[in-house]
Amino acid sequence: MADFGDIAAVRLRRVERRLLLEADVQRSFDRHLGTLEAGPAADWQVLTDRASITVFQITRATTPTLFNEPTGVSHLAGFAESDALNPMDTYLALAERVLSAQKRALSALEILRIAYREGLAPDHIQGRTQHKTLQARLSEDILRYRDSSKFYRPAPGKFFLHALKDDPSVPEADRSPIVARRRKRDLPRHHALAFRKPLIAKEASKTGEVTMDSFVNLIERGCYHYASSSRLRRSDDILVWSFVVVVKAGCVLSYRSGPYREQRDSFMSKRVIGFYSPVVETDMTLFDQADHGVVWSGMKALASDLDLYDDLAWRALNANSKLQTVIYPKGDGECDDLLAVVSFSCPDWLEPTSSRLAINDLKWIDLSTPINHTEDFDPWSQTLLPVARRLALEA
């Protein structure tokens, strides 16, 4: 009888060879992962990781015992696939198990490699973007719960457990959380989601609206690419921005942009009716593929700007944020952009505040009556005022 370990090894080598052929046309695959340095060695490591996961998925159904036998990491035993966890909780539980056993900081990709090697990954979390989903889930937990989270970052892209940071067996470099600086709005965001200008010009109506069906279809068909950053783009690139409109009882939340946020002349010191951020590659996770993480990107921007980190506010964000429309604001005097408008219906009990220097004169504007001086608003807000009025009156 053939040894299952030998079978798996043969299949691993076959898949590795196939993936290395793919590397000829995809030498920068690590760019998509955001966790490894570029170069041939990194390419081999990434492809090996993919091969290991692929082989595990191939052999799992026919050789279940191969991946469930004890491997010397006793802490990992007992994490059954039948655990009654939703997918989001499963990722955190999986990370906690692996980190507890390894007693060292790991990246999301490394956590998944070990989980697959030890036969811990349940079937319902399989997918091509598992590492992104795991990293996003860990980042969200740290963002929401801060010091109360079970996890922290001892280095960029690495995660570890608060419960083990005083363990003498843990490497010294992994025992102290790094202090993550708040993301400045004027910094470029790498790998920004973009479309070609002729494609959007064809899809947009005379009013500049791209229908939701068209937008989702473009994402599903993979008709997008990634610009180097939100500042470095080609002349025919149209970047996608998540633009969150906060509405309540006929009103929209507005503010004036400070120099820490905006350096575009036509935007600086103007009144704004939304909180925005470029959509980037890492915004798309296993749970955000339909809209490429547009809503998730906007939620992060809004939480950062208004300090919505407590559990109640975060639950409201999750429940009340919805992608409403996509607008192509032509002729705004700046580079072409696509605005994916997300509405957040603000609960009555939540009164937004902000301590950020970039957010000035935060106040509600009543849109039940016409705005007389639209020139006081930035170009994007001027374009989106009709949309905001409709959403505010529906709130």
Side-chain angles (χ1 to χ4, degrees):
M1 181 176 179
D3 182 78
F4 286 134
D6 292 338
I7 294 174
V10 170
R11 291 179 178 175
L12 174 59
R13 286 194 292 271
R14 289 176 180 172
V15 177
E16 285 175 347
R17 284 196 294 269
R18 174 175 60 80
L19 292 174
L20 283 172
L21 291 176
E22 292 180 10
D24 292 336
V25 294
Q26 197 177 1
R27 293 301 297 171
S28 297
F29 183 80
D30 55 285
R31 172 176 65 83
H32 297 277
L33 300 179
T35 55
L36 299 174
E37 296 179 357
D43 287 332
W44 169 259
Q45 183 63 61
V46 170
L47 293 170
T48 302
D49 295 337
R50 293 178 66 196
S52 300
I53 292 174
T54 303
V55 169
F56 175 81
Q57 292 172 339
I58 291 172
T59 58
R60 182 178 204 158
T62 55
T63 62
T65 58
L66 174 63
F67 296 94
N68 290 325
E69 291 175 354
T71 59
V73 188
S74 59
H75 300 76
L76 300 181
F79 188 72
E81 295 182 28
S82 59
D83 284 352
L85 297 171
N86 67 51
M88 301 300 275
D89 289 336
T90 299
Y91 277 105
L92 293 182
L94 194 63
E96 185 178 1
R97 292 275 182 147
V98 172
L99 292 172
S100 295
Q102 297 297 310
K103 291 191 176 183
R104 60 188 175 93
L106 299 169
S107 68
L109 181 60
E110 291 168 333
I111 292 172
L112 278 176
R113 286 178 58 201
I114 294 171
Y116 274 107
R117 187 182 70 205
E118 304 298 336
L120 300 175
D123 290 332
H124 62 271
I125 70 164
Q126 292 185 10
R128 295 183 61 186
T129 59
Q130 294 172 58
H131 57 281
K132 294 182 183 179
T133 304
L134 175 58
Q135 181 160 334
R137 188 68 187 92
L138 288 165
S139 298
E140 177 191 351
D141 196 81
I142 295 170
L143 179 69
R144 286 180 63 186
Y145 300 112
R146 306 293 183 90
D147 292 339
S148 297
S149 171
K150 292 182 179 180
F151 307 93
Y152 67 88
R153 293 185 185 88
K158 298 282 188 177
F159 301 93
F160 199 52
L161 298 168
H162 277 291
L164 294 178
K165 66 181 182 181
D166 295 326
D167 190 320
S169 65
V170 172
E172 185 67 30
D174 296 342
R175 295 186 195 176
S176 301
I178 59 171
V179 179
R181 293 185 299 174
R182 295 174 73 91
R183 176 170 53 87
K184 292 184 178 180
R185 292 298 193 172
D186 59 340
L187 293 179
R189 303 290 307 284
H190 298 293
H191 306 156
L193 177 64
F195 293 100
R196 296 284 179 237
K197 187 179 296 186
L199 180 62
I200 296 302
K202 178 182 177 181
E203 293 290 339
S205 65
K206 293 182 179 179
T207 62
E209 182 177 10
V210 177
T211 66
M212 291 299 300
D213 286 343
S214 295
F215 180 73
V216 171
N217 185 255
L218 291 174
I219 297 295
E220 287 179 347
R221 289 162 47 203
C223 300
Y224 57 86
H225 63 281
Y226 299 109
S228 296
S229 77
S230 55
R231 283 189 178 177
L232 187 61
R233 62 168 90 179
R234 293 194 285 192
S235 59
D236 65 339
D237 277 349
I238 294 181
L239 300 191
V240 180
W241 294 73
S242 181
F243 191 99
V244 183
V245 177
V246 182
V247 293
K248 179 196 290 188
C251 298
V252 64
L253 191 63
S254 72
Y255 61 95
R256 290 193 183 277
S257 295
Y260 291 93
R261 181 187 184 94
E262 273 296 351
Q263 296 183 354
R264 293 176 287 184
D265 290 339
S266 59
F267 285 72
M268 192 177 298
S269 299
K270 295 289 188 177
R271 185 156 291 281
V272 191
I273 60 168
F275 302 82
Y276 50 87
S277 176
V279 181
V280 296
E281 184 180 12
T282 53
D283 288 326
M284 184 172 70
T285 70
L286 183 63
F287 302 99
D288 302 291
Q289 297 195 32
D291 68 351
H292 198 291
V294 164
V295 175
W296 170 237
S297 175
M299 286 172 55
K300 290 187 295 181
L302 188 60
S304 175
D305 285 344
L306 300 182
D307 297 311
L308 302 179
Y309 294 123
D310 64 90
D311 190 58
L312 197 58
W314 191 265
R315 287 175 183 270
L317 261 181
N318 274 288
N320 299 340
S321 298
K322 181 180 179 182
L323 178 59
Q324 297 285 354
T325 187
V326 181
I327 302 294
Y328 179 32
K330 303 176 185 177
D332 62 1
E334 306 288 345
C335 295
D336 284 346
D337 296 289
L338 198 62
L339 306 180
V341 182
V342 176
S343 67
F344 171 57
S345 298
C346 186
D348 291 336
W349 52 264
L350 178 60
E351 191 56 44
T353 60
S354 180
S355 59
R356 297 193 58 173
L357 296 176
I359 306 295
N360 302 315
D361 191 21
L362 188 70
K363 70 177 184 179
W364 293 98
I365 295 180
D366 186 357
L367 294 184
S368 61
T369 58
I371 301 293
N372 292 324
H373 301 286
T374 57
E375 69 278 3
D376 189 38
F377 294 83
D378 72 8
W380 285 358
S381 296
Q382 290 182 36
T383 299
L384 297 178
L385 271 171
V387 176
R389 184 174 187 272
R390 173 176 61 82
L391 295 174
L393 295 178
E394 291 175 354

